[in-house]
Every structure is written in C-alpha cells, then in structure tokens.
Amino acid sequence: MDISHLATPSDYLREAMSPESVEKFEACMSEWCKQIEQVLTQSEQMRKEADDVGPRAELEHWKQRMARFNSLLDNIKSQRCKAVVGVLTATKSKLLKAWRQLDTRITDVANEAKDNVKFLYTLDKFCQPLYKADPDRMVESIPGLMNAIRMVNSYSRYYNTPERMTALFVKVTNQMITACKNHVTIGGMKTPWDLSPSAMIPRLEAAIRLNDEYQRCFQRTKQKLEELPEERPFDFSEMYIFGKFNAFTLRCERILEVYKYTEIYETLPESRIEGIESLAGRYNLICSTLRKKPYDVLDHRKVEFDADFADFKRQMQEVQGQVQGLMDQCFDKITTTHKALW
C-alpha cells in the first residue's frame, strides 16, 4: 500500500473520503494490532532459562527487551504509521481505541525495560567479582554487592517486586556456586578427588566461608532496613535464595569429611605394623570405590552421593575400630620398655 503521498492532515482528510482506501487502512491497522498483541503476549510469558544462570543474564534479558520495544516504538512513530493513524482518525475508526491502548502498553513496557536496565547496569560492576574472583576474594565484594541490591530494591520504579528481587538474589547465588565449583575443580580441569588433602581442603573451606559471609551480610542488611522505614525491606524467601548454596556447602562439608579421613589414614599402607596390610588394602578399596562413582560429586542434586557417603563413613569407622584393636593387641604384647624400643 503506497502512502508516500500522505504527509499532512489535509492529505489524511482527502484519503478518508475514499471507502476503499479506508478499508485498506483498517485492514493494515488490524494486522498491526494482531502483531503487537502477539509480541506483548510473548513478552509476558514465563522466561525459560537454565536454573544455574548468573545475574548478568538478568541484565541481558532486560537489554534485549528494551531493544525490542524501543524498535516497536520507533515503528509506531514512523511516517507510514502516522499516515495510517491520521486517515483512520479522520474517519473516526473504531480500531483507534484498541490501537491507542496498545500504544500505551508498549510505551509502559519500554519505559519499564529502560528503567530496569539503568538499575541493573549500576549493579553489574558489583557482580564482576562473582565472575572473576576466587571465593576468598569474592567475600570482600559482598558488602558492596548487597548495598547495590538494596538500592535497586528501594529506588527502582519497576524492578523491586518481591518476585524479581528474589529471582535476582537466586542468580547471585547461582554464580557464587559456579565460581566455587570452578575454584574447587581448577576451572573444570580436576575432580575433587584429584588433588591432595592439603590442596583441596582450603578450596572447600573457602566455598563454605563464602556462603556464611553471604548470608551474614544479607541478615545485617535486612536488620538495618528494618530500622529505615523510608526504604523497602528485604522481604524475600531466604529458603529460595540460599537453599541451593546450603545444599552445595553441605556437600562440600561431606567431601571435607572424606579428606579428613584421608589425612588420618593415607599413611596406613606405609606402616610396618604386623597385620596392618589387610586394613590398608580395605582402606584403599573404600576410598577408590567412592572416588570411582560416575556422577559429579559437586552436583548437590545428585542425592545418590548421600547414600554413598554414609556407606563410606560407616566402613571407615569400622576400619578405625579395627586399627584401634590392632594397636591395642600390639601394646598388649609389649611387657617392658626395652621391648618397646627394640
């Protein structure tokens, strides 16, 4: 449909005198309304994203949404669109009511996206350590990150709903867990069983400290906000925010327990005590059985580890008892200090 000749209100009035032209313009606007309605409906649907994405995914989502609806607004402001609206305004078309409602909705959505991007950009620099630092250095950035989230919650026009703020915290938690896994596995190059206890234990302990400090800082901020009625409180689901991190650090604690046993008994095969060989062999078998399990031991969702860990602990306690019994027998055979020395 050629509308290049429509530029002024008088052009619109002249075109509105033709029933055939009006019918074409109404068909055009009707199609536009359907397309815009479809875009709005799609934008309101629940987002599909991986359950371990970090906070930068939130900024990217709103940047894409802002670009999409700004593009729509640019089309609505185009000369072609103005001409169609001008002609149908001259004829007092019934379609204009629906069109103006859609125009308002698009403007609102675009403004929401623009405001959310503005606040999430201010948050982004505080999220950088989550992607670049190890857990120990990440601890230092938590107060600044928590304060930035507090500002978003208190002063953003659109973003500060409990649902969105909770989802943002969950993404922060996700990235912390991802960073901890990378730290423990040296960027995915190793499994938790590949390193020595002296190398692995500090890495696991760093992950546990990060979770502790994260939750302490959250609670401090929450308590402070309760004393500041002019700011919005941290009224979010803590179970939802911290549940995965708690499950992950519980897994780290259990892996630590395995390493604690390793520290105690790793020299068992080197002992020359008579009768220790069979216990050393059993110790090696227990450890190798756990370490050869086919699942990712750092994936807290792999609940089969819990049963395997309980079985490992039970067997190691049996070995501990047998070692103690063997040592008691050895000491019972020693009747003098001279024999003990020789």
Side-chain angles (χ1 to χ4, degrees), residues 251-312:
R251 180 61 55 86
C252 290
E253 288 169 358
R254 289 181 169 173
I255 297 171
L256 270 175
E257 279 197 64
V258 174
Y259 270 104
K260 295 296 184 182
Y261 278 112
T262 301
E263 277 192 313
I264 295 171
Y265 293 105
E266 65 181 348
T267 59
L268 204 61
E270 301 171 10
S271 175
R272 297 181 180 180
I273 297 174
E274 184 180 352
I276 204 74
E277 297 86 356
S278 61
L279 293 179
R282 187 180 179 196
Y283 161 76
N284 286 331
L285 179 61
I286 293 169
C287 290
S288 63
T289 299
L290 181 64
R291 291 171 179 175
K292 289 178 180 178
K293 295 296 180 180
Y295 51 78
D296 178 6
V297 69
L298 286 174
D299 187 348
H300 58 276
R301 297 167 298 185
K302 301 293 184 182
V303 295
E304 52 265 50
F305 173 82
D306 298 327
D308 292 333
F309 171 75
D311 190 47
F312 167 86

Side-chain angles (χ1 to χ4, degrees), residues 140-151:
E140 302 169 6
S141 68
I142 291 177
L145 173 61
M146 198 65 65
N147 189 59
I149 294 175
R150 166 190 165 187
M151 293 297 104

Side-chain angles (χ1 to χ4, degrees), residues 30-45:
S30 180
E31 182 61 28
W32 287 350
C33 286
K34 288 179 182 178
Q35 292 174 355
I36 293 172
E37 189 68 55
Q38 184 178 14
V39 171
L40 287 166
T41 299
Q42 289 174 349
S43 73
E44 292 166 0
Q45 291 175 350

Side-chain angles (χ1 to χ4, degrees), residues 64-222:
Q64 292 173 12
R65 189 177 173 93
M66 180 177 70
R68 183 163 59 249
F69 283 97
N70 281 346
S71 177
L72 260 179
L73 284 177
D74 289 342
N75 286 330
I76 288 174
K77 294 173 184 176
S78 67
Q79 184 57 40
R80 177 180 176 81
C81 191
K82 286 180 179 178
V84 172
V85 173
V87 172
L88 295 184
T89 298
T91 64
K92 299 181 180 179
S93 172
K94 294 180 180 180
L95 285 176
L96 288 172
K97 181 179 179 181
W99 174 259
R100 290 182 180 123
Q101 288 175 343
L102 288 174
D103 189 359
T104 299
R105 287 173 63 189
I106 292 169
T107 302
D108 288 344
V109 172
N111 287 338
E112 175 192 40
K114 182 180 179 180
D115 192 70
N116 290 349
V117 166
K118 179 182 72 174
F119 277 95
L120 290 171
Y121 257 127
T122 64
L123 183 66
D124 186 57
K125 66 177 181 180
F126 295 99
C127 291
Q128 289 181 13
L130 303 183
Y131 292 86
K132 296 181 178 180
D134 61 49
D136 278 330
R137 288 191 294 128
M138 209 178 293
V139 166
E140 302 169 6
S141 68
I142 291 177
L145 173 61
M146 198 65 65
N147 189 59
I149 294 175
R150 166 190 165 187
M151 293 297 104
V152 173
N153 185 53
S154 292
Y155 301 110
S156 63
R157 292 174 57 196
Y158 301 97
Y159 196 83
N160 58 2
T161 66
E163 295 78 16
R164 285 178 179 167
M165 294 303 301
T166 299
L168 176 61
F169 266 116
V170 168
K171 288 179 171 64
V172 169
T173 299
N174 288 343
Q175 189 56 38
M176 286 184 177
I177 293 173
T178 297
C180 288
K181 287 182 177 179
N182 286 335
H183 184 60
V184 168
T185 62
I186 313 180
M189 299 296 292
K190 303 287 185 180
T191 75
W193 310 126
D194 291 336
L195 301 180
S196 66
S198 60
M200 181 54 62
I201 288 174
R203 294 173 181 272
L204 294 168
E205 290 175 339
I208 295 167
R209 282 195 300 273
L210 177 63
N211 184 32
D212 290 343
E213 182 55 34
Y214 179 34
Q215 296 198 39
R216 273 196 297 269
C217 194
F218 179 92
Q219 293 301 332
R220 286 196 299 267
T221 305
K222 180 179 179 180

